[in-house]
């Protein structure tokens, strides 16, 4: 089961227009990327107020320094990385990450969640809570991977780790999430039916 | 191949698989169909993995990111100035941006109009930061027109809140009570109505929201998505469909609109806005007063200008643009108000 990763996308024409000072392109860039960046920021920091400030800083900064910016292979990856860098400069966020070491999930209460009869809303909340219980870096990997749709390589770049570390992190995150949600959670991330 | 948990995990770790699931493409379909081939177990595995990826994606999306993004954008505009200031003759691109830029204006029954004004003026309260509240305290219908050309017809007792000149990324309205919405299409600026716990999002359409203990969203034309607090999944409503939200039970039900009259708007469309040899300050003050937008200008410079112009067409910005061209003036928008400058007459 080995399929090649997609090749990185070609330079984004919207990004080029924005770099030349096109405000419309900047507004589009914002519309396209700000919401997922907010989702990621809240996943990483858990602090909506902080994310508001940092997102604003980030976009004001890239607008002001647009002429000096490079053309990233992936605009989303570039922005995620910049956002992460800003978040990690906040002591409170660093502390969250320090607490999450070593990377073991909190397995003290590995309740098995049977979801077969639950509604979509409850199901979603349960998945969210399961992700919340993962170590911080694994939460981040889940978001980058299954929400932002980044490749393992792009996720590695955002998190400033090498490819192998990112692959290992992803492996652990997927396994632990599957374990936490339990074999009874048929319709869920664990769609595997024993037998 | 047996359907083993490790197969599942391998697939969930596969870059191409996840990206294909999140961003389907014909090439991806072809690749994965080829991989599945005639293997029934692979097909089951792929289906399960796809729903797993989508379930995680949905769980991660459980944040009102679009709304937050809109609010941050608004707040950011101060820091982006003066780069984002708008001058009508500066560049065509700038004009387009602002026209598309979904500010709001509003129009009420203008005394001295030519009798086509069946609608009454709602009570307007201007808050700080350009926020406007418009309430219908009377017995008839009252209509609010927005700068983007959208119309809201308020039922008695209804109230709406919005920015009179908001930024270019979103059109947000808070509604109490019942109202009929006719929304100008603008895919880049979703039009969102917040009514109690119900969030209705549209890209250009007409529909009615009736508030109260239960909230009904009924659609006359176009396509509307409806969601309610605590549930980020959205329902899509098509013409003549409605969603009824029960606040007591926090549930929503979808059905066909039976009472079609709720999808009629009896208020006639556009009021007249014609001027003949009228002093410029009168026209400007009409615009300002009628549309609840502050317009600042040097009255001494413009009081000798006389204008003959028809301002019936287009959005608020179109009208402003025409007016400025006639006056040989320019305008810009600063701190939620319009400033007109020019040599005068």
């Amino acid at each position: 089961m080995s399929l090649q990763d997609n090749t990185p996308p070609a330079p984004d024409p919207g990004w080029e227009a924005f770099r030349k000072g096109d405000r419309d392109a900047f507004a589009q860039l914002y519309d396209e990327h700000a919401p997922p960046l907010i989702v990621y920021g809240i996943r990483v920091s858990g602090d909506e107020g902080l994310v508001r400030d940092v997102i604003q800083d980030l976009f004001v900064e890239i607008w002001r320094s647009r002429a000096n910016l490079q053309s990233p292979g992936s605009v989303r990856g570039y922005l995620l990385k910049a956002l992460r860098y800003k978040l990690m400069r906040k002591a409170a966020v660093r502390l969250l990450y320090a607490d999450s070491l070593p990377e073991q999930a909190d397995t003290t209460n590995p309740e098995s969640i049977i979801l077969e009869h639950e509604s979509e809303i409850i199901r979603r909340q349960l998945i969210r809570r399961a992700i919340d219980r993962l170590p911080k870096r694994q939460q981040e990997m889940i978001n980058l991977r299954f929400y932002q749709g980044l490749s393992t390589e792009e996720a590695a770049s955002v998190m400033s780790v090498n490819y192998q570390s990112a692959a290992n992190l992803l492996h652990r995150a997927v396994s632990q999430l599957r374990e936490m949600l339990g074999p009874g959670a048929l319709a869920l991330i664990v769609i595997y039916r024993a037998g | 191949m047996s359907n083993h948990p490790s197969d599942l995990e391998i697939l969930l770790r596969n870059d191409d698989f996840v990206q294909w699931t999140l961003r389907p493409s014909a090439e991806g379909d072809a690749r994965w169909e080829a991989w599945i081939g005639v293997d029934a177990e692979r097909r089951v595995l792929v289906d399960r993995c796809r729903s797993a990826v989508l379930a995680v994606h949905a769980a991660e999306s459980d944040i009102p990111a679009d709304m937050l993004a809109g609010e941050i954008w608004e707040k950011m505009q101060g820091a982006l100035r003066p780069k984002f200031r708008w001058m009508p003759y500066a560049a065509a691109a700038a004009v387009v941006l602002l026209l598309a830029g979904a500010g709001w204006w509003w129009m009420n029954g203008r005394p001295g109009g030519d009798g086509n004004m069946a609608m009454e003026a709602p009570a307007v309260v201007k808050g700080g930061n350009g926020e406007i509240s418009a309430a219908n305290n009377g017995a008839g219908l009252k209509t609010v027109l927005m700068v983007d050309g959208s119309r809201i017809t308020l039922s008695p007792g209804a109230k709406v809140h919005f920015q009179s000149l908001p930024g270019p990324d979103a059109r947000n309205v808070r509604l109490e009570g019942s109202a009929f919405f006719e929304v100008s299409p603008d895919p880049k600026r979703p039009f969102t109505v917040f009514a109690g716990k119900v969030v209705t999002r549209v890209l250009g359409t007409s529909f009615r929201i009736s508030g109260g203990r239960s909230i009904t969203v009924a659609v006359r034309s176009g396509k509307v998505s409806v969601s309610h607090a605590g549930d980020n999944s959205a329902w899509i409503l098509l013409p003549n469909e409605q969603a009824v939200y029960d606040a007591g039970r926090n549930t929503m039900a979808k059905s066909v609109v039976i009472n079609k009259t709720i999808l009629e708007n009896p208020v006639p469309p556009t009021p007249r806005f014609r001027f003949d040899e009228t002093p410029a300050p009168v026209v400007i003050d009409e615009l300002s007063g009628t549309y609840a937008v502050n317009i600042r200008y040097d009255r001494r410079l413009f009081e000798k200008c006389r204008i003959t112009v028809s301002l019936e067409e287009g959005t608020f910005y179109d009208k402003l643009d025409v007016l400025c061209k006639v006056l040989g003036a320019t305008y810009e928008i600063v701190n939620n108000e319009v400033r007109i400058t020019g040599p005068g007459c």
Side-chain angles (χ1 to χ4, degrees):
Chain A
M1 200 186 295
S2 65
L3 278 156
Q4 295 285 311
D5 281 353
N6 281 340
T7 47
D12 188 324
W15 179 264
E16 295 308 314
F18 144 71
R19 281 186 52 212
K20 291 184 184 122
D22 182 335
R23 300 178 318 182
D24 227 348
F26 179 69
Q28 275 177 29
L29 188 80
Y30 183 87
D31 284 350
E32 183 183 346
H33 296 290
L37 287 170
I38 291 167
V39 170
Y40 169 79
I42 291 177
R43 166 53 74 201
V44 165
S45 71
D47 183 339
E48 186 189 304
L50 174 68
V51 171
R52 279 171 185 270
D53 293 347
V54 172
I55 291 277
Q56 177 170 344
D57 284 357
L58 173 64
F59 278 92
V60 168
E61 227 171 88
I62 68 164
W63 172 255
R64 287 186 178 150
S65 56
R66 62 191 179 278
N68 305 320
L69 296 178
Q70 301 299 308
S71 295
S74 152
V75 172
R76 176 67 54 81
Y78 171 83
L79 292 172
L80 283 166
K81 189 166 183 163
L83 174 59
R84 185 180 204 274
Y85 177 74
K86 284 179 167 297
L87 287 170
M88 289 300 158
R89 279 192 303 194
K90 309 286 178 186
V93 178
R94 279 204 309 277
L95 203 63
L96 277 179
Y97 271 67
D99 282 354
S100 84
L101 295 172
E103 264 166 14
Q104 290 298 318
D106 168 21
T107 49
T108 48
N109 185 19
E111 58 196 272
S112 175
I113 304 163
I114 308 296
L115 298 167
E116 265 185 291
H117 305 294
E118 301 288 0
S119 73
E120 172 66 24
I121 305 165
I122 294 171
R123 200 176 79 148
R124 193 175 298 177
Q125 284 168 352
L126 289 173
I127 299 175
R128 214 181 152 76
R129 247 178 269 149
I131 298 170
D132 288 345
R133 290 218 306 268
L134 291 173
K136 207 66 206 172
R137 282 172 179 279
Q138 293 185 19
Q139 292 182 25
E140 185 179 3
M141 177 54 89
I142 292 282
N143 185 283
L144 291 174
R145 178 73 180 174
F146 297 106
Y147 178 77
Q148 310 285 347
L150 295 196
S151 69
T152 309
E153 194 172 342
E154 288 168 330
S157 162
V158 169
M159 296 178 74
S160 301
V161 297
N162 64 35
Y163 180 88
Q164 195 50 49
S165 307
N168 294 344
L169 197 57
L170 176 64
H171 191 154
R172 285 200 298 278
V174 168
S175 303
Q176 294 199 359
L177 199 54
R178 200 175 64 76
E179 273 168 35
M180 262 196 273
L181 289 165
L186 285 185
L188 242 236
I189 175 111
V190 177
I191 21 312
Y192 168 66
R193 197 189 297 259
Chain B
M1 165 183 154
S2 68
N3 236 334
H4 193 265
S6 62
D7 293 336
L8 177 122
E9 289 186 14
I10 288 168
L11 212 46
L12 290 179
R13 294 201 308 267
N14 183 291
D15 285 342
D16 186 66
F17 179 80
V18 173
Q19 291 179 354
W20 167 61
T21 301
L22 295 178
R23 291 188 283 271
S25 66
E27 301 94 299
D29 292 349
R31 242 186 343 266
W32 285 97
E33 276 302 324
W35 183 77
I36 293 166
V38 291
D39 188 332
E41 288 193 6
R42 279 191 178 182
R43 184 167 302 281
V44 171
L45 179 69
V46 163
D47 287 348
R48 287 178 174 176
C49 284
R50 278 171 59 89
S51 51
V53 170
L54 293 173
V56 172
H57 183 270
E60 282 294 277
S61 326
D62 225 359
I63 285 170
D66 288 343
M67 257 194 79
L68 291 175
E71 289 168 18
I72 297 166
W73 177 263
E74 293 289 337
K75 234 182 112 200
M76 219 163 78
Q77 296 312 301
L80 295 174
R81 222 168 262 134
K83 299 289 182 193
F84 271 59
R85 172 185 291 182
W86 185 69
M87 303 291 279
Y89 299 128
V95 175
V96 172
L97 179 74
L98 209 99
L99 290 179
W104 269 276
W105 66 321
W106 87 329
M107 193 172 253
N108 48 36
R110 202 167 61 79
D114 72 349
N116 192 12
M117 308 300 303
M119 54 192 179
E120 305 169 59
V124 186
V125 179
K126 287 186 194 176
N129 299 325
E131 170 147 339
I132 278 184
S133 303
N136 182 354
N137 301 319
L141 297 168
K142 294 183 179 178
T143 293
V144 178
L145 281 201
M146 302 176 154
V147 277
D148 65 339
S150 299
R151 292 209 307 168
I152 306 174
T153 303
L154 299 175
S155 295
K159 195 171 180 183
V160 282
H161 312 262
F162 51 83
Q163 291 287 120
S164 67
L165 291 168
D169 68 319
R171 299 175 284 175
N172 293 337
V173 177
R174 224 148 25 88
L175 169 70
E176 298 159 33
S178 173
F180 189 84
F181 290 81
E182 291 152 288
V183 177
S184 294
D186 187 352
K188 278 195 267 172
R189 278 104 191 154
F191 190 104
T192 308
V193 184
F194 301 89
K197 288 186 170 178
V198 174
V199 180
T200 307
R201 175 156 299 197
V202 288
L203 298 176
T205 185
S206 56
F207 60 99
R208 173 177 293 281
I209 298 179
S210 316
R213 241 186 88 70
S214 74
I215 298 169
T216 301
V217 180
V219 178
R220 185 173 75 187
S221 62
K223 203 182 198 180
V224 166
S225 92
V226 184
S227 57
H228 64 94
D231 181 6
N232 247 34
S233 68
W235 290 26
I236 305 294
L237 296 182
L238 298 172
N240 290 320
E241 290 185 337
Q242 65 179 13
V244 180
Y245 170 76
D246 183 329
R249 289 185 296 175
N250 196 33
T251 57
M252 201 152 64
K254 185 166 154 180
S255 61
V256 169
V257 177
I258 295 159
N259 179 7
K260 293 274 163 50
T261 55
I262 68 171
L263 292 180
E264 300 303 325
N265 185 7
V267 175
T270 330
R272 293 298 168 84
F273 219 93
R274 266 187 200 156
F275 300 95
D276 188 15
E277 284 293 304
T278 311
V282 174
V283 180
I284 296 172
D285 291 352
E286 279 290 354
L287 272 172
S288 167
T290 313
Y291 311 136
V293 173
N294 289 334
I295 302 180
R296 199 171 280 201
Y297 65 100
D298 190 333
R299 185 174 281 266
R300 282 177 305 112
L301 290 176
F302 289 105
E303 64 190 357
K304 290 204 182 96
C305 305
R306 293 195 167 263
I307 305 176
T308 298
V309 70
S310 165
L311 295 176
E312 291 174 27
E313 298 295 319
T315 67
F316 171 71
Y317 294 110
D318 294 333
K319 293 181 187 356
L320 207 50
D321 204 18
V322 170
L323 181 65
C324 283
K325 265 182 190 144
V326 169
L327 287 173
T330 59
Y331 76 89
E332 58 183 333
I333 292 174
V334 183
N335 295 333
N336 299 307
E337 62 181 25
V338 175
R339 291 183 189 168
I340 297 180
T341 46
C345 302

